Amino acid sequence: MKWRFITALMSVTLLVLLAQDIPLGFYLQQVEHDRIITSLERDAFLLAGRSEQALETLATEDDSELIQTVKNYRDAGGSRVVIVDKEGTAVVVSDDDQADLGTSFLNRPEIAEALSGKISTGHRFSATLNQELLYVTVPILSGSEILGAVRLTYPDYVVTNKVNEQIGLLSAVALIALLLAAIVGYIVSGTITRRLRRLQEATEALASGDLMARADETAGAKEIRSLAESFNDMAERLQLLINQQRTFAADASHQLRTPLTALRLRLERAHDLLETDPAGAAERLAAAEAEADRLSNLIEGLLLLSRTEAANVQRERFDLAAVTRDRVNHWKALAAESGVKLRFEGPQQLGVTAIPSAIEQIADNYIDNALSVSPKGSRLIVRVFSEGSIAQLHVLDQGPGLSAAECTRAFDRFWRANSDRHGSGLGLAIVAQLARASGGTAQLTPRPEGGLDASATFDLAKD
């Protein structure tokens, strides 16, 4: 990933540089060409002004000052200078050998154009010099009379060389930019890949069985931190589920061992008594059937608890008051048989969010437990109300109650009070899990006047 990132960054940088430098190179070539043409035109007019008097007097052979000026100009700028009279004959040349002095230049188009009074600029190939030339030719005027012309020629390769120098400088800058892009890409990609590598190490550690492996949520880019947070949430959830499964397996194996052992002993004893004591064998079989029923209830409770822990059920809107009132009406007949006065207190409607069947099971568990310990003539109140953004369900009994420590332990799996000899010890554990899955809590609180307050909370539904 690191090298792909660096390559991509350098490729983008190179494309940007090419898109910028290629047009810039052409622009620099045109600017340099125009600059030299302008400079040559200016110098040509200056030389034309100095040549005017010499051509008027036709004393150019004695005008050593003009000749020296022309040679100095040649030496300073590299341009070749030819000054012709109105007949097109060269009267001053900047060459050292002076071979072209007195030669007619009328066959040169730029000379002929200048002698007609026009300024001529452009490129042409010189067969004599065997190279491309850049030229400027201007007329020498005395009033309206044309006395001659001045031609300046400049090797075209000089323009090319100057442009190449600037392009070379641009290329050096582009190369430095590419190197800087590579360095920046290496640093940035190293930072990103280092965080990803640490996240990968945490993932591999978790996959190898280290449930405590966590990613660093405090370093790196926002996206990396968000990914690390998601990974840690997943790891914590996975650790919780595995711990629950381990606890479930340990508790199940421990709790199932006792009824299975008792069931086997009773069946073996009944088998031994079949011939000698049929009545005793029947008694042992009845006890074995009771153990089988207890074992069946225990397994059903374990399965229900496992489903509530593993399920990721979406919460829905329910009417807590209506559901609880319905459960109270369902238990009233059994409460009347037990001599307990059961009543509901609460509003007509109270919308909450919970997972399906959670309210029914919580209410049934609380009412069933309360009825099993409530003495005759006592009252059992099921109360529903809201407080702030929370809805509460309370089952208030007048039984023997529990201590504060016992109230805390009551939600542990397989914990049973001394008075509870027939339960599986899973009812309140299921209640706590259903309440958590619904976004609420479950709690037992000793009442000051005696008995227990079994409560559960739910979030109020938003209208």
Side-chain angles (χ1 to χ4, degrees), residues 223-291:
E223 293 76 8
I224 300 295
R225 295 198 303 271
S226 177
L227 182 60
E229 291 174 3
S230 299
F231 172 81
N232 289 342
D233 291 341
M234 177 197 69
E236 290 176 4
R237 178 62 177 165
L238 182 61
Q239 182 181 16
L240 176 62
L241 290 175
I242 291 177
N243 289 338
Q244 287 176 344
Q245 293 300 319
R246 288 175 177 173
T247 304
F248 176 83
D251 292 344
S253 62
H254 175 74
Q255 293 296 323
L256 292 175
R257 187 182 298 114
T258 300
L260 283 173
T261 302
L263 178 61
R264 180 174 180 177
L265 291 174
R266 284 176 170 79
L267 289 174
E268 290 177 351
R269 185 59 177 161
H271 181 270
D272 294 339
L273 295 176
L274 279 176
E275 296 181 358
T276 59
D277 187 3
E283 183 181 348
R284 300 296 190 282
L285 288 175
E289 184 177 353
E291 287 294 337

Side-chain angles (χ1 to χ4, degrees), residues 30-71:
Q30 184 62 40
V31 167
E32 187 65 19
H33 176 271
D34 293 343
R35 185 190 68 79
I36 292 178
I37 289 293
T38 302
S39 177
L40 290 177
E41 286 182 352
R42 182 193 67 234
D43 295 342
F45 277 112
L46 289 175
L47 292 173
R50 294 189 178 185
S51 303
E52 179 184 350
Q53 185 178 0
L55 290 178
E56 284 179 345
T57 60
L58 297 177
T60 55
E61 64 276 14
D62 299 324
D63 197 349
S64 59
E65 184 179 352
L66 178 60
I67 295 172
Q68 189 60 43
T69 300
V70 168
K71 290 184 177 181

Side-chain angles (χ1 to χ4, degrees), residues 277-328:
D277 187 3
E283 183 181 348
R284 300 296 190 282
L285 288 175
E289 184 177 353
E291 287 294 337
D293 290 339
R294 180 189 169 197
L295 182 61
S296 177
N297 292 334
L298 186 60
I299 291 173
E300 289 179 1
L302 287 171
L303 291 175
L304 178 59
L305 184 61
S306 177
R307 285 195 296 270
T308 57
E309 288 177 343
N312 185 20
V313 184
Q314 294 294 325
R315 300 174 198 170
E316 301 177 12
R317 179 189 174 96
F318 295 96
D319 188 342
L320 177 62
V323 173
T324 306
R325 189 184 303 109
D326 178 71
R327 301 320 299 161
V328 168

Side-chain angles (χ1 to χ4, degrees), residues 18 25 32 42 91-92 100 122-123 125 139 143 162 198 206 218 244 272 298 334-335 365 379 398 441:
L18 290 176
E32 187 65 19
R42 182 193 67 234
V91 294
V92 175
D100 289 334
H123 292 263
F125 182 78
K162 288 185 177 294
R198 291 179 181 175
L206 182 65
T218 61
Q244 287 176 344
D272 294 339
L298 186 60
L334 181 59
N365 268 284
R379 290 182 302 170
Q398 294 178 323
T441 60

Side-chain angles (χ1 to χ4, degrees), residues 75-109:
D75 295 337
S79 297
R80 182 172 185 250
V81 182
V82 175
I83 300 175
V84 299
D85 58 16
K86 61 183 178 180
E87 303 298 332
T89 303
V91 294
V92 175
V93 294
S94 60
D95 301 333
D96 291 330
D97 57 10
Q98 299 292 304
D100 289 334
L101 193 64
T103 303
S104 175
F105 280 78
L106 276 177
N107 60 336
R108 272 65 165 185

